[in-house]
Amino acid sequence: MLFYNTRHGEKILFSEHYVNLLLVDGHQGLENKRHEVLTFGQKRLSLQQKSAVHRNITPAELFSSANGVRPVKKVLVTGVAGIGKTILVQKMLFEYGRNKDHLAFDFIIHMTFRDLNLIDKPTNFRELVLRKNRHLAKELDNILANDSKLLIILDGFDEFRHYRSCDVDIFVTEPDEDAEVKEVFGSLMLGELLPNASVMLTSRPAAVNHIPVGCIDRFVLITGFSLTEVQDFFLRYFQDGVVAERMFSVVTANELMLTLCYIPAFCYIVCCILKESKDLTGESPKTMTDIYVQYLVALLRSHTQQLSDIVLKLGRLAFHKLMEHQTLFYTSDRDVAALEGNSLVSTFLDKTVAQEPSCTEEVFSFAHLTVQEFFAALYCAVTDQTLPDALQSSGLPGEATNNGHLDLFNRFLSGILSERNATFLSRQVGLCCSKEKVETYREKIITALKMLCENGAHMLNCLHCLFEQQDPSLAVAVQSRTLRVNVSDETLTQMDYNAIKYFLNLTKGKISELDLTGTGVSCDALRDIQPLLLRCENLCFCFMLFLRMQRLTGLFFHLEQGEFCKLLRPLDFQ
């Protein structure tokens, strides 16, 4: 059994590659204001601390009832892109096939929504199974008749092209009753079809609010790697203990890279960079864009063909599909057809083959959602493509739609349009950002920050765009009359604090207001920004949190109670 999406020419056995994933009960909130990867970053530590207190769930225990009262029939497994949902499914199938998982089922039927997307006419559940498993034709009746011993795994609901319209009111009750695919799926989830069968559904958080969650008996969240699993991944990737340990020490010395490695797909990207760049002998990456630029250059080194043209084609595909919220691309798509026959495509695009009775369809996706976002930003930066409407409507870099769909796209765009990365890409790949576009963007950031500071408007995304530029002169150029910094109502991560500190450490004078209301600011974080608090005329954050922190000794080092109260004096405790 090969590792999922093994690249052309590689032979990576699943048994040699799999690294344990941490599973806990629960799921991410249905309404996210930020990009899902960023939201996960906020919650990762608390989730993994929870998993340390409460015993981790093993795949074999997914359908075991915690209290033994209510049977667990429908399980929803959620996790951000690249966290290991499909790998978990593979693990379950792998262990079940080797009789090592102790799942109490006689049979498992596995389907992917990538395959189901290809069906455009009414069908039935029996035919859905036989499409991929004709050898079951004589046994399927017995399997379905004993549905209490049947597990049906449906992988990748967020990739289903009908995922927004699965709240159906037409149901089927028999396996051979024809209906639209979404109606067959809805009937299965709601127990109208095969009511005794167990169903496991996997999905990214972005699509969860389109699932009929009332029928779900158990919500399970994949929390990614722990530090031990990251180290284990390095050992398996480099297959040399000495090399793996040296590479791991490089990553642990870089806070950004280490933070990213807790998501398996990021861990793979970081390992690719380390393998190609020989321990990062150059400047260590400071931003997300730095990492992805190095990833691009590292993977291009093995190719001798004209690189800029194919990178632009990949960028065009990434950009237009990102704007349409699409992560899957089919050979029938014009932009995909333009890439046919190019060996570079398999370097950045994963391919799965969906076989139909009458045809074979190839389905492509970028190696990770963030890789698509990076290529989309690269295309936007080096062509005359205008910024999408979501950005133009506000005129502010870093702002995006309410669910954070374009948060990382904006950060990548800012980082690519920085003078440092623009020069690097021009030299290494032959892709050039016009000097005028770079200067226009820089002016836009300065103007936006001045306005946000004056108005006390929310500015976290804009601060991240500034951080990606890594140019101190931009922060110095802001020089607003009133320095008000509002990052409220966001659970802040260490990366957020880094962006905030980067800006405030470069500005001069008093901070008129620092609004940390509803950010869940921790004691460690307050200690970390203590010098900034001394410049604050008005510090706003949760009053209950203040009362709790007052009881902690040594919180503000040499700050005495009177000085601390002076900082908080303007705060409206109402």
Side-chain angles (χ1 to χ4, degrees):
M1 184 173 179
L2 293 180
F3 182 65
Y4 177 70
N5 275 339
T6 298
R7 297 186 187 282
H8 182 69
E10 291 180 327
K11 187 179 180 182
I12 304 174
L13 293 179
F14 182 83
S15 57
E16 297 173 359
H17 188 87
Y18 180 80
V19 178
N20 187 45
L21 296 166
L22 302 181
L23 310 177
V24 296
D25 280 309
H27 64 94
Q28 288 185 256
L30 302 184
E31 297 297 330
N32 288 326
K33 295 180 181 179
R34 301 181 75 183
H35 190 287
E36 65 177 46
V37 173
L38 304 177
T39 303
F40 171 78
Q42 298 165 0
K43 297 184 177 181
R44 183 189 64 79
L45 286 176
S46 63
L47 288 169
Q48 295 197 346
Q49 287 167 358
K50 175 183 176 182
S51 70
V53 176
H54 304 286
R55 186 172 55 90
N56 292 333
I57 303 166
T58 66
E61 296 170 328
L62 286 172
F63 290 89
S64 301
S65 177
N67 52 24
V69 177
R70 184 183 178 187
V72 175
K73 288 291 186 182
K74 305 293 192 300
V75 174
L76 172 61
V77 177
T78 59
V80 300
I83 200 72
K85 298 180 294 297
T86 297
I87 297 300
L88 171 65
V89 170
Q90 274 198 298
K91 172 69 171 175
M92 293 176 67
L93 296 174
F94 183 73
E95 296 297 341
Y96 182 77
R98 300 172 71 210
N99 292 318
K100 286 191 174 183
D101 66 345
H102 310 295
L103 283 173
F105 300 104
D106 289 345
F107 206 87
I108 298 179
I109 293 174
H110 172 224
M111 298 182 186
T112 70
F113 283 97
R114 290 190 177 199
D115 287 340
L116 297 179
N117 281 339
L118 301 175
I119 302 172
D120 55 5
K121 58 184 179 182
T123 186
N124 57 63
F125 185 78
R126 181 191 301 278
E127 190 56 37
L128 288 178
V129 176
L130 294 179
R131 280 170 65 249
K132 297 285 184 180
N133 306 280
R134 289 289 169 187
H135 59 285
L136 295 179
K138 294 181 179 180
E139 298 296 330
L140 190 55
D141 284 341
N142 291 333
I143 292 170
L144 299 182
N146 189 25
D147 59 347
S148 62
K149 290 290 187 177
L150 173 64
L151 170 60
I152 302 167
I153 299 178
L154 299 164
D155 188 28
F157 176 72
D158 54 280
E159 297 178 334
F160 190 30
R161 63 190 176 109
H162 301 297
Y163 83 80
R164 290 185 177 88
S165 57
C166 283
D167 188 12
V168 296
D169 52 11
I170 299 175
F171 302 104
V172 298
T173 57
E174 298 298 329
D176 54 1
E177 187 177 346
D178 286 351
E180 299 293 333
V181 173
K182 62 183 179 181
E183 293 165 354
V184 175
F185 164 74
S187 302
L188 189 64
M189 291 303 298
L190 293 169
E192 300 288 339
L193 175 64
L194 301 174
N196 298 315
S198 297
V199 180
M200 178 174 135
L201 184 68
T202 74
S203 177
R204 283 170 46 207
V208 169
N209 58 335
H210 297 284
I211 296 171
V213 292
C215 66
I216 303 297
D217 301 312
R218 186 174 206 171
F219 295 88
V220 175
L221 181 63
I222 302 182
T223 67
F225 287 160
S226 68
L227 192 60
T228 301
E229 273 75 41
V230 173
Q231 197 165 9
D232 187 16
F233 187 96
F234 272 62
L235 184 61
R236 290 171 184 261
Y237 182 90
F238 292 104
Q239 297 184 336
D240 182 312
V242 175
V243 174
E245 190 59 37
R246 187 173 75 248
M247 298 298 189
F248 183 71
S249 66
V250 170
V251 168
T252 52
N254 185 303
E255 182 183 60
L256 173 62
M257 296 181 78
L258 182 60
T259 300
L260 292 177
C261 279
Y262 291 111
I263 294 180
F266 283 140
C267 200
Y268 173 77
I269 288 172
V270 168
C271 285
C272 284
I273 296 170
L274 292 169
K275 182 179 180 180
E276 295 296 330
S277 58
K278 310 301 180 191
D279 298 10
L280 289 173
T281 50
E283 185 181 3
S284 184
K286 298 177 182 177
T287 70
M288 285 278 284
T289 310
D290 291 353
I291 288 177
Y292 280 73
V293 166
Q294 291 197 25
Y295 174 63
L296 173 67
V297 172
L299 292 186
L300 291 179
R301 282 188 181 133
S302 59
H303 296 272
T304 57
Q305 63 197 89
Q306 181 63 34
L307 300 178
S308 57
D309 290 344
I310 189 65
V311 169
L312 283 178
K313 287 181 181 180
L314 283 167
R316 174 184 168 82
L317 174 70
F319 178 81
H320 290 295
K321 297 305 181 184
L322 181 66
M323 296 305 118
E324 297 169 3
H325 293 256
Q326 291 184 23
T327 57
L328 295 183
F329 330 116
Y330 296 85
T331 46
S332 55
D333 190 290
R334 184 180 63 183
D335 288 332
V336 175
L339 299 168
E340 189 175 358
N342 196 296
S343 61
L344 187 59
V345 172
S346 62
T347 302
F348 296 102
L349 292 182
D350 292 331
K351 180 177 74 173
T352 53
V353 178
Q355 293 179 331
E356 293 298 300
S358 58
C359 67
T360 298
E361 180 89 21
E362 293 179 337
V363 186
F364 296 89
S365 62
F366 281 90
H368 189 254
L369 172 63
T370 54
V371 176
Q372 180 178 348
E373 292 166 318
F374 172 76
F375 269 94
L378 184 61
Y379 176 78
C380 204
V382 302
T383 67
D384 58 1
Q385 173 68 49
T386 56
L387 296 179
D389 290 339
L391 304 180
Q392 291 175 333
S393 60
S394 65
L396 299 180
E399 277 203 17
T401 51
N402 289 336
N403 63 359
H405 171 55
L406 297 176
D407 283 356
L408 278 181
F409 166 82
N410 282 312
R411 296 184 194 181
F412 284 138
L413 181 61
S414 183
I416 293 167
L417 286 173
S418 68
E419 290 185 352
R420 49 202 286 277
N421 278 322
T423 302
F424 184 73
L425 283 168
S426 175
R427 186 172 65 248
Q428 296 287 336
V429 190
L431 290 172
C432 299
C433 308
S434 72
K435 190 171 183 179
E436 181 182 359
K437 198 165 194 176
V438 170
E439 288 300 323
T440 299
Y441 192 86
R442 286 164 59 86
E443 288 298 321
K444 194 173 185 182
I445 289 182
I446 294 171
T447 303
L449 278 171
K450 283 182 178 178
M451 190 190 77
L452 292 170
C453 286
E454 292 290 342
N455 297 336
H458 192 274
M459 62 192 305
L460 186 58
N461 279 332
C462 202
L463 290 179
H464 274 289
C465 288
L466 177 77
F467 183 77
E468 291 291 332
Q469 288 265 328
Q470 285 294 300
D471 184 347
S473 67
L474 289 178
V476 174
V478 172
Q479 295 295 325
S480 59
R481 294 188 303 275
T482 305
L483 184 58
R484 299 170 65 190
V485 180
N486 178 1
V487 291
S488 61
D489 298 323
E490 300 272 17
T491 303
L492 301 180
T493 66
Q494 187 57 49
M495 292 171 68
D496 295 327
Y497 287 119
N498 290 345
I500 296 166
K501 286 189 297 179
Y502 175 79
F503 173 62
L504 292 179
N505 282 332
L506 292 171
T507 58
K508 297 179 180 179
K510 285 288 185 181
I511 302 170
S512 177
E513 180 177 289
L514 176 58
D515 192 344
L516 298 169
T517 308
T519 58
V521 59
S522 68
C523 298
D524 289 338
L526 283 176
R527 287 191 185 98
D528 200 26
I529 62 174
Q530 186 221 358
L532 300 176
L533 298 179
L534 292 171
R535 292 169 51 200
C536 259
E537 295 178 348
N538 189 353
L539 174 64
C540 303
F541 64 103
C542 177
F543 181 49
M544 291 304 293
L545 188 63
F546 161 58
L547 290 179
R548 179 167 59 85
M549 287 183 174
Q550 266 195 314
R551 296 194 294 270
L552 302 177
T553 58
L555 175 59
F556 286 95
F557 295 91
H558 61 272
L559 265 186
E560 296 178 357
Q561 185 177 1
E563 290 174 302
F564 185 42
C565 290
K566 183 179 178 182
L567 279 175
L568 297 175
R569 188 169 57 195
L571 183 64
D572 180 1
F573 288 136
Q574 291 181 346

